[in-house]
Amino acid sequence: MSLELIPIGTILTVLTNQVFKTAQAAKDVLFEKESFKVLSKHLFEIEPVLKELQSRELNDSQAARLALESLEADVKKANNLVEKYKNCARFYLLIRCRYIVKEVQEVTRDIGKSLAALSLANTEVLSRISDQVLRLQNEMQRVELEASHSQLQIVDKLNQGIRDQKLDQGFANDMLEEIARAVGVPVEPSEISKELASFRREKEEAANRKERAEVLFLEQVIELLSRADAARDYEEVKKQYLQRVQVIERYDDREEYIPPLNSFLCCICKSVMTDPVSLCTGTTCERDAIISWLDSGKRSDPKTGEVLEDISLRSNLPLRQSIEEWRELNYCLNIRSSKAKLLSGVDSSVEEALSQMQYLVRESSINKDWVSIGGLTDIVISILGSSHNRDVKRKILITLKDIVEGHARNKEKVFDSRGWDHIIPCLGRDSSISKAAVELLYELLQERSGWNVSVCRKLSQQCSAIIFLVTLLKGLQRESAQTAEKILMKLFEIDEENISRAAKAGWYKPLIERIVQGPQSSRMSMVRTIVNTELTDSNLKLLGAEGVIPPLLEMTSGNIESKELSLSALVKLSVIVVKCSEILEKLASEDDGIKFFVDEGGAQLELEPIITNLLALQQKANSAHNFRRPALRTLLGICKFEAGLVKKAVLTADGVSLVLPLLDDSDSEIREIAINLLFLFSQHEPQGVVEYLLKPRRLEALVGFLENEDKGDVQMAAAGLLANLPKSEGPLTMKLIELEGIDAILKILRTGTIEAKENALSALFRFSDPTNIKSQRILVERGAYPLLVNFLRAGSVTAKARAAALIGTLSMSSPKLTVVKSSTCWCFRLSGNPLCSAHGGICSVTDTFCLLEAKALPDLVKLLSEEVHATAYEAIQTLSTLILDGSPQRGANVLHKAEAIKPILETLTWGTNSLKEEALGLLEKVFVQKEMVECYGSTARVHLVGLTGRNVYEDGHLGRKAAKVLALLERYSRSSTSFIPGLYG
């Protein structure tokens, strides 16, 4: 019926419904979701415009009817697009993504144009929403849609491969996997087969539409993807193998190799071709070889020498197919030969056959099917169970892994051949066999999407497997242990009973983790395992060490069953008195127990009496080591938990005097805990420690702790203790030098932990005191300076700051140690000994401790640019040592050349008040030089004016200091010129 005979209101109603339905359908399209979502959004926005026209008296004009007719046609086109792509094959949708997006974009723009025509025909009616309609039609007419970048990359790679006629299996495998993953299709033969069948139907529909170019392209894509491993039909693969076997039957049984025809060999590289291409002269070469030939500038036929008029390359598909058939015949000869060797029963022949099988499956993935079709997989599984030769067993396990890797059908064959029964016992053999066995087992448990849960369930039914896997986990072979742990963790996830089995085999960690973190049902089950398991003393100790006691104590506050189980477990664990101390130790441990010192409201328990009692225990001479050790560890844990308790332990309980004698204890662990405690205590009572250390043989013990490279925490504590002791104790310093304490500290700087290095740097301040040139010289001669400079470059913030400060203390002595040459003596100075630009004499690292000679200056300047207060503060203090009171111009010139003055000025912007004060002090020395003012004055004023305008300190101290520096700048005329860049000589 003509639209002219239908009332315009009816047309509008029908169109409104069609717009809504199409918008709803477009929203549900799963492929190119974003593009269809844009279309759907705009259609939903058109619906209220049409309803507005319905609610008012629509202008029934020829223009209005034509606009509605145009809009209806465009919406119908959009609906057809939605219906077309809603149920298409996913591979087809990806490959056509660029065209699909273009179609959606065009139809969206067309609808926008029709909407514009409709609004023009009904301007007055749509006046109330004119702005909305104008915005909508403009948006639709200008819409820009694009396929996702990742999809376009896949399509472009595919197109390029087809243009280059890349039909090799590797490329086919890559493309199929990328396409399948992009559209959410599992890379499994059954799924791929379905998807390719749908893809072929799309090609047939394109043929029905007479779209010849699209049909040709789709045929090429289907041909390529069908070559991939996952696209192979098993029956076709089997048929192909049997055909090749029929051909080789005419060859002697001893024949293992058919030589290639001469036509198979590349005339350039002289080897069998993989991707043969033909030249315009008819000569065939390997693609990569002829491309390299042409890229080198050669334009002649590599075989005949004839000049190439055309350098285009054409794939020689018939020759490629012949070469593939030749290779496959040789594969079949190898399979036949391997089978005979496996059945010979001779170990050397079996190993030779296994090597051939490894070569076959690595040479071509089709051989993974063919070796199984040829019966080789069943034979090697059988030999694995019967052979006593360890080399044969190991090689079979490796070969089986190659055969089943990524191949679901071969994995099923291993299960069907009762491969479990032969593989699992191998987990308990020597390390080389067990490693190969656990790697094979891990691969058997995988499928393309991850773990094969059904196979994992079957394995968990093998009790011996859990025992062997736990043994591997606790063994010395790290890779095997990691693989075994991965398998066990998956088995635990599938069946919680496996955790109990693992505990009975000696691995308690998962059981304890479930008790600590698991749901109530899991916790009860795991505790029941402890109650029902026979535990040796070593097992009891292990459970305590792993932290099972705190959660058991927590469970005593649960329901009746929870109380009974947890108390039963605690009774079983509390077999010796030492356990009481161990429980207390666990309560104070860093990981588990501190929470037991805090109640539910967050209030902390009174720990001072506990500290007093723990220290008192150390006075009992008859206390056994296995009782005192946990008590000391508890004390250390509490002191680390609450710093305020350290002071109480020192002052109230006389902690220093009680712990100091433990440095002489016969038990090394007690001595190590004692040095850690003394490090904490020495912050509050260093003098008592000094007196003790100056007694005979005490200081030697401290140096021994510094030299203990096996215990980073002990080194850290010993260095920290030394750093806390008063620097004024000269006898202590000199005694440490005699005992080579400096060497021990410097070695920590080279090889210690970060914390130990930081404390060691603090300890060096004792030897770098500027009032003791002798100890400074010893420190420098032992090689401290290069280490300090290295910390400036690559240390922690604390280490950088301390290293910078130490360099500063050494640099303070440089002016005293430098012999300044007078001008009358310069003519006699040897050219090989240049004068120091900072100190005016002949400097060196070892003689004058000069930081310029130590190459420290650039790294000190770099610290300023890092904008970290701690390091910048020390860097500025150290740089200040270069500006001498008698001759400030030399130091200022050095800082200028090192580009240090600008970052010093910048600290006035970002630094803290104390840092700014240090910077101003240094700048006050620098700007007594007219040349420096002329060079940096304008920049400096910007920073200084801001400071003088602020009352940073209550007394305005920082502002006054800034004003003082600003006054220096104003002393000099701005018109003066400088003789920089050299400034001074």
Side-chain angles (χ1 to χ4, degrees):
M1 183 184 292
S2 172
L3 287 179
E4 293 179 3
L5 303 178
I6 302 173
I8 197 164
T10 305
I11 297 172
L12 196 55
T13 301
V14 172
L15 179 58
T16 304
N17 290 336
Q18 184 62 45
V19 166
F20 177 77
K21 288 178 182 177
T22 305
Q24 193 67 44
K27 188 180 68 172
D28 297 333
V29 176
L30 297 177
F31 191 80
E32 283 304 337
K33 228 172 179 178
E34 295 306 313
S35 298
F36 279 101
K37 194 184 287 183
V38 170
L39 173 62
S40 174
K41 170 181 169 287
H42 288 317
L43 288 172
F44 276 126
E45 289 175 330
I46 289 173
E47 188 190 8
V49 175
L50 298 178
K51 286 185 175 178
E52 179 74 10
L53 290 171
Q54 284 179 286
S55 65
R56 296 173 176 269
E57 187 175 345
L58 182 63
N59 180 15
D60 190 355
S61 64
Q62 182 68 16
R65 285 181 174 271
L66 286 173
L68 284 174
E69 186 177 351
S70 175
L71 183 58
E72 182 187 37
D74 291 333
V75 171
K76 187 175 181 181
K77 192 193 302 181
N79 190 64
N80 290 341
L81 273 183
V82 170
E83 292 301 318
K84 178 180 177 182
Y85 295 122
K86 192 163 63 175
N87 299 310
C88 273
R90 285 175 282 183
F91 282 12
Y92 175 81
L93 290 170
L94 176 66
I95 288 162
R96 299 283 295 173
C97 66
R98 186 177 272 115
Y99 303 97
I100 293 171
V101 169
K102 186 177 179 183
E103 284 182 280
V104 176
Q105 177 178 290
E106 285 178 357
V107 79
T108 305
R109 290 180 175 182
D110 289 345
I111 293 171
K113 291 173 188 174
S114 297
L115 181 63
L118 182 62
S119 63
L120 279 174
N122 295 274
T123 307
E124 292 181 5
V125 178
L126 294 173
S127 58
R128 193 172 64 85
I129 57 171
S130 59
D131 290 343
Q132 177 187 339
V133 175
L134 182 63
R135 176 193 60 78
L136 179 56
Q137 68 190 38
N138 285 339
E139 277 185 15
M140 293 186 75
Q141 289 181 76
R142 296 171 185 170
V143 72
E144 294 284 346
L145 302 177
E146 283 187 2
S148 75
H149 180 64
S150 59
Q151 289 177 348
L152 292 176
Q153 276 187 316
I154 295 171
V155 173
D156 290 344
K157 181 178 175 182
L158 177 66
N159 288 337
Q160 189 62 46
I162 289 174
R163 279 196 298 272
D164 295 342
Q165 294 186 303
K166 289 182 72 173
L167 297 175
D168 58 281
Q169 195 171 30
F171 182 69
N173 284 335
D174 289 345
M175 287 312 312
L176 182 66
E177 192 163 335
E178 287 185 40
I179 292 171
R181 285 182 176 167
V183 298
V185 173
V187 188
E188 297 289 345
S190 58
E191 295 294 330
I192 297 297
S193 179
K194 290 178 194 172
E195 201 59 36
L196 283 176
S198 298
F199 197 10
R200 289 187 181 95
R201 284 195 294 273
E202 298 293 346
K203 185 202 74 172
E204 290 165 7
E205 289 181 16
N208 293 336
R209 296 193 300 268
K210 309 295 184 187
E211 295 175 355
R212 295 181 61 187
E214 182 178 348
V215 170
L216 177 61
F217 176 69
L218 294 179
E219 281 178 347
Q220 291 174 311
V221 174
I222 291 168
E223 181 188 0
L224 172 67
L225 297 183
S226 298
R227 288 174 169 269
D229 293 331
R232 285 199 185 110
D233 179 74
Y234 180 68
E235 292 305 320
E236 285 297 319
V237 171
K238 186 174 181 180
K239 179 181 176 183
Q240 185 181 355
Y241 172 72
L242 295 175
Q243 287 173 346
R244 299 286 183 262
V245 168
Q246 282 183 336
V247 175
I248 66 164
E249 282 177 354
R250 63 173 178 263
Y251 289 90
D252 189 276
D253 288 345
R254 291 168 296 179
E255 195 78 53
E256 293 188 17
Y257 184 69
I258 303 169
L261 300 176
N262 288 333
S263 59
F264 292 178
L265 303 177
C266 173
C267 60
I268 299 174
C269 56
K270 310 302 181 188
S271 57
V272 177
M273 291 178 280
T274 302
D275 186 8
V277 292
S278 296
L279 302 173
C280 63
T281 56
T283 299
T284 303
C285 309
E286 178 63 41
R287 183 186 293 274
D288 289 343
I290 189 61
I291 288 173
S292 297
W293 174 277
L294 296 171
D295 286 347
S296 67
K298 297 173 184 175
R299 289 295 181 269
S300 60
D301 185 307
K303 185 175 182 181
T304 66
E306 185 180 346
V307 175
L308 297 174
E309 300 295 338
D310 177 7
I311 60 170
S312 60
L313 308 175
R314 298 182 308 282
S315 288
N316 192 328
L317 299 180
L319 180 57
R320 178 191 290 186
Q321 187 175 356
S322 297
I323 293 172
E324 286 177 0
E325 289 176 6
W326 166 78
R327 283 198 172 95
E328 289 171 358
L329 290 173
N330 275 315
Y331 295 155
C332 292
L333 283 173
N334 270 270
I335 291 170
R336 185 179 72 179
S337 168
S338 297
K339 187 171 186 178
K341 291 171 184 175
L342 290 172
L343 295 173
S344 70
V346 179
D347 286 343
S348 59
S349 295
V350 170
E351 287 194 64
E352 192 178 329
L354 293 169
S355 295
Q356 282 182 300
M357 291 173 66
Q358 289 176 19
Y359 160 78
L360 284 167
V361 297
R362 290 169 187 171
E363 181 71 12
S364 174
S365 57
I366 198 171
N367 288 325
K368 291 190 177 186
D369 283 305
W370 285 6
V371 295
S372 291
I373 294 169
L376 272 59
T377 304
D378 292 335
I379 296 171
V380 295
I381 290 172
S382 174
I383 296 172
L384 180 63
S386 60
S387 175
H388 299 291
N389 185 308
R390 56 191 300 276
D391 292 329
V392 168
K393 279 185 176 291
R394 183 183 65 84
K395 203 160 189 176
I396 287 175
L397 293 166
I398 293 170
T399 306
L400 281 173
K401 180 174 178 286
D402 287 343
I403 291 171
V404 303
E405 195 165 23
H407 201 287
R409 194 176 294 108
N410 282 346
K411 290 178 182 180
E412 290 174 12
K413 181 170 277 292
V414 171
F415 305 144
D416 294 342
S417 302
R418 298 184 61 80
W420 287 131
D421 298 341
H422 305 316
I423 295 168
I424 290 172
C426 292
L427 296 169
R429 302 292 294 265
D430 66 54
S431 60
S432 63
I433 293 177
S434 61
K435 181 176 184 293
V438 77
E439 287 175 355
L440 169 59
L441 183 61
Y442 181 82
E443 179 57 38
L444 287 168
L445 296 173
Q446 305 300 309
E447 57 185 4
R448 285 189 183 271
S449 57
W451 292 93
N452 188 324
V453 177
S454 64
V455 178
C456 289
R457 290 190 196 283
K458 291 178 183 176
L459 179 63
S460 69
Q461 296 166 8
Q462 304 276 334
C463 295
S464 60
I466 304 287
I467 297 170
F468 284 131
L469 288 168
V470 170
T471 304
L472 276 179
L473 176 73
K474 298 164 80 175
L476 299 177
Q477 227 293 333
R478 188 164 172 242
E479 289 181 24
S480 297
Q482 290 174 338
T483 308
E485 184 173 4
K486 288 178 187 176
I487 296 171
L488 284 167
M489 297 308 289
K490 188 61 186 180
L491 297 182
F492 298 162
E493 183 184 313
I494 287 171
D495 186 354
E496 201 172 66
E497 183 60 30
N498 289 323
I499 298 176
S500 299
R501 292 174 185 151
K504 289 173 183 175
W507 191 32
Y508 294 101
K509 185 180 176 183
L511 178 138
I512 294 167
E513 286 177 350
R514 286 296 172 99
I515 292 176
V516 174
Q517 299 175 351
Q520 182 65 15
S521 59
S522 292
R523 299 177 81 182
M524 302 285 279
S525 173
M526 298 302 106
V527 174
R528 195 172 286 110
T529 298
I530 292 177
V531 173
N532 296 333
T533 303
E534 289 296 325
L535 299 171
T536 63
D537 286 348
S538 61
N539 288 338
L540 290 170
K541 186 175 181 181
L542 182 63
L543 282 168
E546 291 284 353
V548 75
I549 293 173
L552 287 174
L553 291 172
E554 187 182 326
M555 286 178 68
T556 58
S557 60
N559 58 32
I560 294 298
E561 186 183 7
S562 175
K563 287 179 187 291
E564 288 178 350
L565 269 176
S566 57
L567 288 171
S568 298
L570 284 167
V571 167
K572 192 162 190 171
L573 292 169
S574 302
V575 290
I576 48 177
V577 177
V578 176
K579 278 293 164 192
C580 298
S581 186
E582 289 183 355
I583 289 172
L584 186 57
E585 177 198 348
K586 282 296 166 187
L587 292 178
S589 72
E590 191 173 337
D591 295 325
D592 298 304
I594 293 303
K595 61 186 177 185
F596 291 97
F597 294 143
V598 179
D599 68 14
E600 293 178 355
Q604 185 179 304
L605 299 178
E606 183 56 53
L607 294 174
E608 189 174 346
I610 297 176
I611 289 177
T612 303
N613 291 331
L614 288 169
L615 284 167
L617 286 174
Q618 307 309 316
Q619 291 179 292
K620 296 182 179 180
N622 60 347
S623 295
H625 286 144
N626 62 347
F627 186 72
R628 295 168 73 190
R629 275 195 300 266
L632 275 173
R633 284 194 290 262
T634 304
L635 179 61
L636 181 60
I638 293 174
C639 287
K640 286 181 177 178
F641 164 64
E642 179 56 67
L645 294 172
V646 176
K647 191 171 184 179
K648 292 181 181 178
V650 173
L651 300 179
T652 308
D654 196 18
V656 172
S657 62
L658 291 174
V659 174
L660 274 171
L662 299 179
L663 293 176
D664 298 328
D665 198 277
S666 60
D667 185 85
S668 61
E669 189 176 350
I670 287 178
R671 293 197 302 272
E672 291 164 2
I673 300 170
I675 196 71
N676 274 279
L677 283 167
L678 285 171
F679 163 50
L680 298 175
F681 292 172
S682 63
Q683 300 171 45
H684 303 285
E685 192 185 322
Q687 197 56 46
V689 179
V690 172
E691 293 170 2
Y692 184 84
L693 290 175
L694 286 174
K695 292 178 182 179
R697 296 189 304 280
R698 298 291 190 269
L699 211 51
E700 287 90 333
L702 179 61
V703 174
F705 287 126
L706 291 171
E707 294 173 340
N708 189 346
E709 296 181 42
D710 296 330
K711 299 287 180 69
D713 65 318
V714 172
Q715 281 190 325
M716 180 274 297
L721 172 62
L722 193 55
N724 289 337
L725 301 182
K727 311 295 183 291
S728 58
E729 291 291 340
L732 181 65
T733 301
M734 298 315 295
K735 185 68 175 172
L736 281 167
I737 292 173
E738 290 175 21
L739 295 173
E740 299 184 348
I742 289 179
D743 293 333
I745 294 171
L746 293 181
K747 191 163 188 181
I748 292 175
L749 295 184
R750 294 186 184 96
T751 62
T753 63
I754 293 172
E755 295 82 3
K757 288 176 179 178
E758 290 174 351
N759 282 357
L761 286 166
S762 287
L764 284 184
F765 283 105
R766 167 178 305 283
F767 307 102
S768 66
D769 185 352
T771 64
N772 190 340
I773 299 292
K774 182 179 178 182
S775 71
Q776 279 190 324
R777 192 172 300 283
I778 292 170
L779 182 63
V780 172
E781 288 175 348
R782 298 290 171 85
Y785 230 136
L787 293 173
L788 297 177
V789 174
N790 213 32
F791 276 109
L792 297 180
R793 297 169 186 155
S796 64
V797 170
T798 301
K800 286 180 178 181
R802 290 176 182 172
L806 283 164
I807 291 172
T809 60
L810 293 172
S811 180
M812 288 169 66
S813 299
S814 296
K816 293 179 282 186
L817 299 173
T818 305
V819 178
V820 180
K821 301 292 184 180
S822 65
S823 58
T824 57
C825 298
W826 282 9
C827 58
F828 300 108
R829 179 166 57 87
L830 295 176
S831 61
N833 295 309
L835 298 182
C836 177
S837 56
H839 302 115
I842 299 172
C843 279
S844 70
V845 175
T846 53
D847 291 337
T848 65
F849 317 151
C850 177
L851 69 83
L852 269 65
E853 292 294 321
K855 313 297 184 194
L857 182 56
D859 296 302
L860 288 166
V861 174
K862 187 179 178 184
L863 290 183
L864 298 174
S865 63
E866 292 175 1
E867 298 192 3
V868 177
H869 168 78
T871 53
Y873 184 88
E874 299 297 347
I876 287 179
Q877 284 204 328
T878 299
L879 292 174
S880 297
T881 65
L882 295 175
I883 301 184
L884 310 181
D885 292 337
S887 52
Q889 73 278 6
R890 281 200 300 263
N893 192 23
V894 167
L895 294 183
H896 164 70
K897 288 181 177 178
E899 298 182 357
I901 295 175
K902 185 180 177 183
I904 293 170
L905 285 168
E906 288 172 353
T907 62
L908 300 177
T909 302
W910 61 264
T912 59
N913 292 338
S914 58
L915 176 58
K916 290 174 182 177
E917 188 171 355
E918 285 298 319
L920 288 169
L922 177 54
L923 292 170
E924 190 177 340
K925 297 177 183 179
V926 169
F927 289 142
V928 298
Q929 307 299 313
K930 178 181 178 182
E931 289 77 12
M932 289 295 171
V933 172
E934 292 173 346
C935 187
Y936 298 102
S938 59
T939 304
R941 284 187 185 89
V942 173
H943 295 289
L944 292 166
V945 168
L947 290 178
T948 56
R950 278 191 244 144
N951 187 14
V952 181
Y953 291 159
E954 287 184 9
D955 60 355
H957 174 69
L958 192 62
R960 288 196 298 275
K961 197 154 190 173
K964 190 175 180 182
V965 178
L966 194 58
L968 287 173
L969 301 181
E970 300 304 328
R971 283 171 48 187
Y972 300 106
S973 169
R974 296 183 183 180
S975 62
S976 301
T977 57
S978 167
F979 50 89
I980 55 175
L983 286 182
Y984 292 93

